[in-house]
Amino acid sequence: MFVAVGFAAQMIDGILGMAYGVSATTFLLSFGVPPAVASASVHAAEVVTTGMSGLSHHVFGNVDRTIVRRLLIPGVGGAILGAYVLVSFPGEVLRPWISGYLLLMGFVILSKAIGKRRAGADGARRHLVPLGFTGGFCDAAGGGGWGPIVAGTLLARGNSPRHTIGSVNFAEFFVTLAATATFIATIGLSYWVAIAGLALGGALAAPLAAWATSRVPARPLLALVGIVVIALSARTLWRAVS
């Protein structure tokens, strides 16, 4: 089951530049896994999947080094802070807030599917430092969000889809590595069945997803992801507050 989830999530993330963390974390939360454990497990698996994805995008020429350089350091800083915040509060207190955040991310993803991309790329690379920090913080604290926040913003500004997705995926490896190191130093890793399954499925999907980035219609798949994330997050949120 975890291999299948990891494969599907990485295919989506590799093609669209978003939704691995949101999809996998939402899935774990829906099975009652505590928020900090879910985020730590997903990020540990993502060390493998983002490494494979970033390398694959680099091989296929999808990476813009300028975007990566400006996103990397603030993204790492935001991830460390976000992971520390997440492990500093009780899981049951955070569960409705994290589920609400993921619900919001589901609507953000859905909006990317049905909205129109803004024409022009003049402002596409502005404000990359605060964008990277915000994306890294929300990704670690919420168990996902780097792609919807960073890639979604850059795409909305009119940046090249191919190079946005490739660059965001490449930088995500370092952001994920920083978050995972923080989780290991604070709460450790324990959910190894989920970690191994998600990592294996994601590693298998990463090269295929990178190759398919410019070939698969993005909007229908993105819409499906948004709907699934909204449905699972709403279910988890309802169970948390009822």
Side-chain angles (χ1 to χ4, degrees):
M1 180 177 62
F2 291 122
V3 172
V5 171
F7 185 92
Q10 184 55 44
M11 282 297 297
I12 294 162
D13 190 273
I15 294 171
L16 304 174
M18 64 185 73
Y20 182 96
V22 173
S23 302
T25 302
T26 303
F27 178 80
L28 292 183
L29 287 178
S30 70
F31 276 80
V33 178
V37 176
S39 185
S41 300
V42 170
H43 280 86
E46 278 191 297
V47 172
V48 176
T49 60
T50 57
M52 288 290 294
S53 181
L55 178 61
S56 300
H57 278 292
H58 178 71
V59 169
F60 286 105
N62 299 334
V63 176
D64 185 320
R65 294 182 180 180
T66 300
I67 295 177
V68 172
R69 283 198 301 268
R70 295 181 183 178
L71 289 175
L72 200 153
I73 294 178
V76 165
I80 293 173
L81 180 61
Y84 181 77
V85 168
L86 182 61
V87 301
S88 300
F89 294 92
E92 293 308 312
V93 173
L94 287 177
R95 185 182 296 275
W97 296 98
I98 300 302
S99 297
Y101 164 79
L102 292 171
L103 182 66
L104 176 61
M105 286 296 99
F107 281 109
V108 170
I109 293 170
L110 187 60
S111 72
K112 302 302 178 186
I114 63 178
K116 295 181 179 179
R117 286 182 61 232
R118 193 184 307 171
D122 293 339
R125 298 186 184 183
R126 296 177 184 172
H127 314 303
L128 284 176
V129 171
L131 180 63
F133 181 85
T134 302
F137 178 86
C138 291
D139 188 79
W146 172 261
I149 291 172
V150 180
T153 300
L154 292 177
L155 290 173
R157 292 176 181 174
N159 209 23
S160 162
R162 174 187 172 188
H163 290 103
T164 294
I165 293 168
S167 302
V168 169
N169 272 270
F170 190 88
E172 188 176 14
F173 167 75
F174 300 95
V175 173
T176 300
L177 188 62
T180 303
T182 305
F183 284 125
I184 292 174
T186 51
I187 63 171
L189 299 176
S190 58
Y191 208 25
W192 288 105
V193 173
I195 293 171
L198 292 171
L200 177 59
L204 293 173
L208 181 60
W211 173 81
T213 294
S214 61
R215 294 171 172 82
V216 175
R219 287 181 182 269
L221 185 58
L222 193 60
L224 178 61
V225 174
I227 292 170
V228 170
V229 169
I230 289 170
L232 288 176
S233 297
R235 173 177 174 266
T236 304
L237 183 61
W238 173 257
R239 291 176 62 184
V241 301
S242 62

